Amino acid sequence: MTKRTRLAAVRCRMVIVVAAVVGTAVLGTGPLFAQSKSDVRRFSVAASVGIARPSDQAFRELYGSLSYPLSIQADYGLYKNLLVFSEYEYVRRTGKTQVVGSDLLLTGDPIKFRMHTFGMGLLYAFHVHRFILLAGGGAGLHCYSEAWEAAGLTTTGNKAGFVAQGGGEHPLSRHISLIGRVEYSRIAVKAKSASENDANLGRLELLLGLSFHLGRALHR
Amino acid sequence: MRPQSHSILKRIILLSLVLFAFSAVPRSSDRILVKIDKNQRVNIDESVVQDVTVIQELDSCWIAEVSSEQYATLQQVGATCEILDPLPAAKVYYLLLAASDQIHAIEPLGHLTVIEDQACLFWTEGEDFWDLLPAQIQVKRLPERTAQRITFATEKQEPVVRLQEETLPNAKVLQMVGEVAKSNLSAYIQDLQNFQTRRAATTSLEAAGTYVYDFFRARGISAEYDPFTFSYQGITYATRNIVGSIQGKTVPEQIVIIGAHYDSTSDQPFTLAPGADDNASGSAAVMEIARIMSNYSFDYTVRFICFSAEELGLLGSRHYTQEDARKGETILGMIDLDMIGYAAKVNEDLDLIANNPSEWLANLFVSCTGTYTTVSVLKAIRPAAAGSDHSSFWDQGYSAVMGIEAYPLVNPYYHRTTDTLATLNMDFAASVTQAALATAATLARPVSTPLSPTNVAAHSVIVRSLFSRFKTVLLSWKSTDPTVIGFNLYRSTTPYVNFQRINSAPVKTSDYTDRFLEPNRSYYYVVTAVDGQGRESNYSNEVRDDQKN
């Protein structure tokens, strides 16, 4: 493991710890704060799975055109229709190496890609009948790694990027809603892909899941 | 003055100025013979001299032909560049290597310019000067152009050793060296001396040529005449180089040459020129080496050449190398033996002359001499030592060295009728023959068991993930040896040297994939074959990734 790779791993672990601390604080104090301060404010935690299309063609060539992210997102009502969200997302893909610029049929080596994303941002919520529609954006820290075991090589790194999301909620019970979300992210990283240009680890994804509310929900 | 006449006068002046300017600008076809110093006091961009036609490299300068524009450019950049002849067209130039006390004898014969110590440029109309030249002067007829180029920086070619590096003597080379017979050398020299004279343009030289030719044939060596003509005193004569050859077993297109001139001269050249030292000694060494090597097989082709008309300006080797260059032959290296029998002292050293690009061959010669013989070698980088056949190989860009008993010459019988076998030290001649044989055999690589793989090819591709990319080289080769059970592969990032084995156990198939290499680097490979007893062949021909061999 190179010095650069070790540094990146340490930084990634620090980010996870910080996110855990922040997450615990939000989860622990959020409901109390929400209940005591205002009825219209709320706290919710949503878990969702989805389907994503990576934006980068080189990525798609190596790992396929679809991936399946898992997401946990916490929303906290700040003011009227404005919410702050914090999100953790995990995506993992396996693929095969590719031969560049040759018709030679070589069997590719298996490669593995993993990415943990810690995002935070603002959402604007508004009601349409029994639905709540949400739209917003923020920033995310993406900790990624690629393992090429045959070469004994693992490349890790982290990169900040922006996240835009929109979606809707439909209440199933007093505390539970069905949620659907579309998310777009852009994560430009230095990569040694075919063109030796930057690669974009970002993706367009569609997520479906359940949201659990604490405190009074926004929907009526 | 009236306005009209004033206008006419103005026109005349203008026209005169234009004509003057036109005549002052040299025409682009103008050529000038110049001397360009190697040790320039100013930094000169090499692009200024890249198209200059080098005619001869000397120790301190180049003799070159330049256009007027090139000369003007050289002057502009402050180069030390001296005009030797402003009108070189259709002239034949000679390089005369003469001691300072001999120069006065040459001066009346034509145009003589001392270029550097003991090296003079000479030209004259006609060829009457030959018989008037002092016999002790070495003469080289200069070519119209050479493959050499001007580089002001000290350009030393990488010390390329084009063979499998060996720390121990090769048993076969050792065996060959042990077969050199002093009595054989003496007999060959005596035979050549018995022709009375071997001056070019004599029938006895041609008889001597036939003697060498028959010698090769009698020992099963493929031999042929390499005929050419030359003009002497207005008459055209025909003569021949004698070329013996042992075909290489695995890489026959690579050629190792060992050569010597078999003509002679003296102060009575047409009646008596025994030339025992110059150069029956070198020719005898070539014959003895050919006799011994003909009993062995080599990876590379070995040629044994006795050149004619060396004493008339290296004409035989000039003809041969020009033909070779025309055919595009790959001459790995040439060893020239010229005067190897006279020892001025006990334990005489062998002087070994090379130019910069041939230094690798000189180093190999020194190394082989140390490994296989007791003679000591004094290596010298002397581009001006152009008075023998190695110089013709330099002119065509081939690597060549000359082995000589002493340079400058010390043999008091040089080019005299007294240059006979009785004046030679045959122990010294035998040692030098052993050294040359060891070098030639090492360079040509005696075939070991099993045979080296052939048709080695390498094809490289880039394999990538998202964050990494590596070069993958696919190697393939052929082997016709049925005793072979596997192959070893060696890789280097430098041509010809530093090969490291890359496979842990012999590869059973005739292909191999070398992976995870740096994508922007060139790699060089050789393959060896391994037989059932674990014996390894010589290296195959080297192949660079993406270069078919």
Side-chain angles (χ1 to χ4, degrees):
Chain A
M1 195 182 274
T2 63
K3 190 179 174 186
R4 193 177 156 201
T5 313
R6 276 200 303 275
L7 251 173
V10 167
R11 282 165 69 187
C12 199
R13 275 199 291 274
M14 282 176 66
V15 166
I16 291 169
V17 168
V18 169
V21 169
V22 170
T24 307
V26 169
L27 287 170
T29 61
L32 296 173
F33 183 66
Q35 281 171 353
S36 62
K37 265 209 152 182
S38 167
D39 282 346
V40 296
R41 295 184 183 178
R42 61 110 193 222
F43 175 77
S44 67
V45 177
S48 49
V49 294
I51 187 164
R53 184 174 194 273
S55 304
D56 193 274
Q57 190 183 341
F59 189 98
R60 291 198 299 269
E61 285 169 2
L62 290 161
Y63 291 101
S65 36
L66 294 175
S67 61
Y68 307 96
L70 298 171
S71 168
I72 296 172
Q73 180 167 320
D75 296 342
Y76 178 71
L78 277 181
Y79 176 74
K80 289 188 177 174
N81 294 348
L82 200 62
L83 295 95
V84 62
F85 74 88
S86 102
E87 176 195 27
Y88 166 74
E89 193 171 295
Y90 174 70
V91 65
R92 174 185 170 171
R93 289 300 299 157
T94 55
K96 280 194 170 180
T97 57
Q98 283 200 321
V99 174
V100 180
S102 172
D103 297 332
L104 214 62
L105 293 173
L106 281 179
T107 311
D109 292 324
I111 45 176
K112 287 176 190 167
F113 178 81
R114 286 194 179 113
M115 187 158 72
H116 304 271
T117 297
F118 304 92
M120 193 165 268
L122 293 171
L123 289 170
Y124 185 79
F126 54 97
H127 298 268
V128 177
H129 302 293
R130 280 181 60 79
F131 290 92
I132 297 172
L133 299 182
L134 300 121
L141 183 72
H142 311 273
C143 302
Y144 56 85
S145 70
E146 183 187 59
W148 185 345
E149 283 178 9
L153 194 72
T154 302
T155 308
T156 61
N158 52 62
K159 178 79 180 174
F162 86 89
V163 179
Q165 63 171 253
E169 289 186 17
H170 183 266
L172 298 178
S173 69
R174 187 165 183 271
H175 289 288
I176 294 173
S177 297
L178 180 68
I179 61 162
R181 204 163 75 227
V182 178
E183 194 167 310
Y184 176 77
S185 57
R186 178 171 169 74
I187 313 150
V189 294
K190 287 276 178 198
K192 292 177 179 173
S193 58
S195 60
E196 290 195 334
N197 293 327
D198 286 356
N200 179 11
L201 300 182
R203 56 198 177 261
L204 180 67
E205 59 194 43
L206 176 65
L207 296 146
L208 279 174
L210 293 173
S211 174
F212 181 73
H213 308 277
L214 292 169
R216 186 174 170 181
L218 277 171
H219 46 76
R220 290 174 282 236
Chain B
M1 195 181 280
R2 286 184 302 175
Q4 194 181 359
S5 59
H6 184 74
S7 170
I8 290 168
L9 187 64
K10 266 174 72 180
R11 283 180 189 177
I12 290 169
I13 290 168
L14 196 64
L15 188 66
S16 307
L17 281 171
V18 168
L19 285 172
F20 175 76
F22 184 76
S23 63
V25 175
R27 285 167 297 159
S28 61
S29 60
D30 285 350
R31 304 294 289 177
I32 300 168
L33 193 73
V34 294
K35 165 189 168 183
I36 302 172
D37 274 11
K38 283 183 175 176
N39 301 313
Q40 294 288 343
R41 286 183 292 277
V42 291
N43 284 333
I44 297 170
D45 192 322
E46 285 180 12
S47 63
V48 173
V49 289
Q50 67 182 4
D51 296 326
V52 166
T53 305
V54 175
I55 287 173
Q56 179 63 47
E57 182 186 7
L58 297 177
D59 291 345
S60 65
C61 63
W62 291 275
I63 300 173
E65 207 175 278
V66 296
S67 67
S68 307
E69 287 84 355
Q70 284 171 326
Y71 180 70
T73 309
L74 284 165
Q75 294 290 94
Q76 278 169 12
V77 298
T80 309
C81 178
E82 182 186 321
I83 294 179
L84 297 173
D85 186 0
L87 294 168
K91 281 182 184 151
V92 175
Y93 294 102
Y94 294 89
L95 180 73
L96 304 186
L97 301 171
S100 50
D101 58 340
Q102 295 168 324
I103 289 174
H104 68 275
I106 312 167
E107 276 174 334
L109 303 177
H111 304 271
L112 186 79
T113 307
V114 177
I115 306 290
E116 63 181 30
D117 185 34
Q118 299 199 347
C120 308
L121 182 74
F122 177 79
W123 76 91
T124 185
E125 291 76 31
E127 292 171 338
D128 300 339
F129 68 94
W130 275 108
D131 293 334
L132 301 171
L133 275 180
Q136 282 69 37
I137 287 176
Q138 292 175 281
V139 183
K140 178 188 177 184
R141 180 181 162 152
L142 294 182
E144 285 78 28
R145 59 170 59 235
T146 66
Q148 295 170 352
R149 63 188 180 88
I150 291 174
T151 48
F152 291 113
T154 309
E155 189 191 58
K156 278 199 167 184
Q157 188 162 319
E158 285 180 30
V160 177
V161 179
R162 304 179 190 223
L163 73 161
Q164 197 161 338
E165 285 171 18
E166 290 165 324
T167 50
L168 295 171
N170 178 293
K172 287 189 178 173
V173 176
L174 206 56
Q175 192 178 340
M176 282 183 245
V177 167
E179 291 177 30
V180 171
K182 187 171 72 174
S183 57
N184 285 348
L185 290 169
S186 298
Y188 307 150
I189 293 172
Q190 186 64 57
D191 287 346
L192 289 166
Q193 183 180 307
N194 288 346
F195 288 99
Q196 300 299 313
T197 180
R198 300 186 309 280
R199 174 67 146 86
T202 63
T203 52
S204 53
L205 173 69
E206 300 314 307
T210 306
Y211 161 79
V212 176
Y213 176 85
D214 291 343
F215 177 91
F216 287 154
R217 294 293 292 264
R219 280 143 191 91
I221 299 165
S222 164
E224 57 184 39
Y225 292 116
D226 173 35
F228 63 97
T229 58
F230 66 95
S231 175
Y232 178 72
Q233 304 283 39
I235 302 169
T236 300
Y237 292 90
T239 185
R240 314 156 299 181
N241 298 320
I242 316 301
V243 183
S245 183
I246 300 172
Q247 183 83 346
K249 290 291 179 197
T250 52
V251 198
E253 65 275 14
Q254 298 266 14
I255 300 161
V256 174
I257 293 176
I258 181 147
H261 73 90
Y262 70 101
D263 64 319
S264 67
T265 193
S266 74
D267 35 14
Q268 299 170 37
F270 292 98
T271 52
L272 185 61
D277 190 29
D278 186 14
N279 185 32
S281 64
S283 301
V286 170
M287 291 161 69
E288 180 67 350
I289 291 168
R291 178 189 72 80
I292 295 164
M293 290 182 87
S294 66
N295 298 319
Y296 296 84
S297 297
F298 299 89
D299 278 344
Y300 298 157
T301 294
V302 187
R303 285 191 190 153
F304 312 97
I305 309 179
C306 288
F307 296 107
S308 184
E310 188 261 6
E311 303 289 6
L312 293 184
L314 323 182
L315 300 183
S317 54
R318 177 189 159 100
H319 166 79
Y320 181 83
T321 52
Q322 284 177 345
E323 286 291 306
D324 260 12
R326 206 172 297 140
K327 289 182 213 160
E329 290 196 321
T330 309
I331 295 174
L332 201 56
M334 187 269 181
I335 300 164
D336 177 27
L337 298 174
D338 196 351
M339 302 177 67
I340 57 161
Y342 181 81
K345 60 183 190 218
V346 180
N347 297 328
E348 177 68 273
D349 302 312
L350 174 72
D351 286 8
L352 190 71
I353 307 295
N355 63 357
N356 272 323
S358 309
E359 192 176 1
W360 70 270
L361 183 56
N363 290 340
L364 177 67
F365 195 109
V366 171
S367 162
C368 288
T369 305
T371 304
Y372 296 102
T373 75
T374 53
V375 73
S376 59
V377 179
L378 298 175
K379 183 185 85 176
I381 304 299
R382 294 289 308 274
S388 189
D389 294 310
H390 62 283
S391 176
S392 299
F393 287 80
W394 290 352
D395 290 345
Q396 298 298 335
Y398 297 125
S399 294
V401 293
M402 173 180 67
I404 187 165
E405 63 216 10
Y407 191 87
L409 305 177
V410 294
N411 186 344
Y413 312 108
Y414 172 64
H415 284 186
R416 296 185 194 280
T417 54
T418 48
D419 179 9
T420 60
L421 176 62
T423 65
L424 303 186
N425 179 335
M426 291 314 297
D427 288 324
F428 177 65
S431 294
V432 174
T433 305
Q434 287 177 326
L437 169 61
T439 309
T442 305
L443 194 59
R445 307 193 317 193
V447 171
S448 55
T449 303
L451 294 174
S452 306
T454 57
N455 295 78
V456 182
H459 181 74
S460 65
V461 292
I462 299 294
V463 177
R464 70 172 172 100
S465 69
L466 194 62
F467 295 105
S468 308
R469 50 195 282 139
F470 293 108
K471 183 182 272 189
T472 294
V473 180
L474 306 149
L475 292 151
S476 63
W477 58 89
K478 284 182 182 166
S479 174
T480 51
D481 190 335
T483 65
V484 169
I485 60 152
F487 304 92
N488 286 329
L489 294 106
Y490 296 81
R491 180 182 65 215
S492 174
T493 51
T494 315
Y496 298 113
V497 289
N498 302 333
F499 282 106
Q500 303 289 324
R501 190 168 141 179
I502 54 175
N503 56 310
S504 50
V507 176
K508 303 292 178 193
T509 56
S510 58
D511 54 46
Y512 185 84
T513 305
D514 192 18
R515 309 181 65 198
F516 308 120
L517 304 166
E518 287 184 44
N520 300 321
R521 195 162 200 177
S522 287
Y523 292 89
Y524 302 84
Y525 294 88
V526 290
V527 187
T528 62
V530 181
D531 69 9
Q533 295 172 37
R535 291 177 299 193
E536 193 171 11
S537 74
N538 289 335
Y539 285 163
S540 68
N541 235 17
E542 180 187 276
V543 65
R544 197 184 70 209
D545 66 279
D546 259 343
Q547 176 199 352
K548 248 191 166 182
N549 188 6

